[in-house]
Every structure is written in structure tokens, then in C-alpha cells.
Amino acid sequence: MGTLTIPEAKAGQNLKLEIRRVIRASRQRVFEAWTRPEEIRRWFGPAGTQVLEAEADFRQGGRWSISTVRPSPDGGEEHHCGAFGEYVTIVPNRLLRFTWTPTSSLDEETLVTIELQDVAGGTELTLRHEGFASENSRAGHEEGWTGTLVKLVARVEA
């Protein structure tokens, strides 16, 4: 019988973040906001961010991508950023899991999980993002997701 070898964890593999929000909207409405490019264009990114392009081949194994721009906080050049990945798990109106690779750091593929549950008054959204290469990356994504979820809530509760 062979020996099972477990590879060593990559640097930062255990770095993750989790954000929860209760949203006054149905699970279906929240799920659609995450899965339809025309919806994503209306809310994705923290304050001041404009989505230039959002594409999704919405099926397990399908690819997605997003390209955004936002003004520099110091009044300098605009900040262009984007990400792409693949849908790993799709359970309609309940669970969405996809890989996330920032265009600014092509060697950092992480995993995002969006879970939706019914709660009194709406839907609880849990966003988990894991596998960061550094604490700086984790902190930057936490700031970005926090601002992004503010816009998502405003969009789906409207």
C-alpha cells in the first residue's frame, strides 16, 4: 500500500476573509445580481468604481471576467483593475464558488464563496475569500469587498 504525501501549504494559503450581510431582498434577487453581467455592471466595486466590462459563461467550469476603473484617491491617474476566473460550484439561489485571479497579480489564484440563506427579513449573504498570497492582498481585498457589498445591498434593496 502506498504512502499518502500531503504537499506543504503554499505561503499565504491560510489567509482568508469572511464578510456577512443581511440583505432585505430574496435569495433569488441576490443570486441574480452575482450571476448576470448586466446586473454586475450596475453595482460591482467599491464607491467610485465603474465597471468597464463584465462577462460570464455562467455554468460550472465556465469562465468569467471583470474590468473596472476608479479615480485615484490622491487625484492622480485612474486605477484600472480587473479579475477573472472559473465557476467551480453553482447551486442556484444558494451557493456560488469561483476562482479569482487579479489581473495585477496573475500568480495569485484565490477562491471566493458566496453563500445565501433565508433569514427573517431577507437573505444572509456570507462571502468567504481564501488563499491570499500575503496579508496585504487579504487586507486590500477585504476593503474592496466591504465597499462592493455596500453597493450590492443598495442595488438589490432598491
Side-chain angles (χ1 to χ4, degrees):
M1 184 178 239
T3 303
L4 176 63
T5 303
I6 301 172
E8 288 189 34
K10 295 187 291 187
Q13 193 171 25
N14 293 325
L15 292 175
K16 58 187 167 186
L17 65 89
E18 184 171 301
I19 303 170
R20 293 178 187 266
R21 295 285 182 275
V22 174
I23 303 170
R24 291 184 315 263
S26 69
R27 281 185 294 115
Q28 179 180 354
R29 175 70 180 107
V30 176
F31 190 79
E32 287 173 355
W34 280 96
T35 59
R36 295 184 175 180
E38 66 276 12
E39 282 289 317
I40 294 167
R41 287 183 195 101
R42 293 185 174 129
W43 65 267
F44 195 87
T49 300
Q50 177 187 358
V51 175
L52 301 175
E53 189 174 321
E55 296 183 6
D57 177 9
F58 190 64
R59 61 183 174 82
Q60 193 163 317
R63 307 281 300 162
W64 65 270
S65 65
I66 192 160
S67 175
T68 65
V69 63
R70 69 177 174 221
S72 172
D74 60 8
E77 288 189 34
E78 293 179 324
H79 178 68
H80 288 262
C81 60
F84 61 91
E86 182 177 303
Y87 294 107
V88 177
T89 308
I90 298 171
V91 179
N93 306 322
R94 294 208 178 269
L95 178 69
L96 182 60
R97 186 172 290 129
F98 51 91
T99 61
W100 175 279
T101 303
T103 55
S104 61
S105 183
L106 297 176
D107 60 341
E108 184 180 25
E109 181 180 86
T110 56
L111 182 67
V112 176
T113 303
I114 306 298
E115 290 183 74
L116 306 174
Q117 294 186 346
D118 289 328
V119 294
T123 300
E124 181 181 60
L125 178 147
T126 302
L127 181 149
R128 266 188 304 287
H129 195 160
E130 53 195 308
F132 296 106
S134 69
E135 180 57 39
N136 282 344
S137 179
R138 190 204 69 76
H141 281 87
E142 183 171 29
E143 181 180 327
W145 283 124
T146 299
T148 296
L149 292 179
V150 167
K151 288 174 56 182
L152 169 67
V153 169
R155 173 76 186 152
V156 300
E157 287 187 349

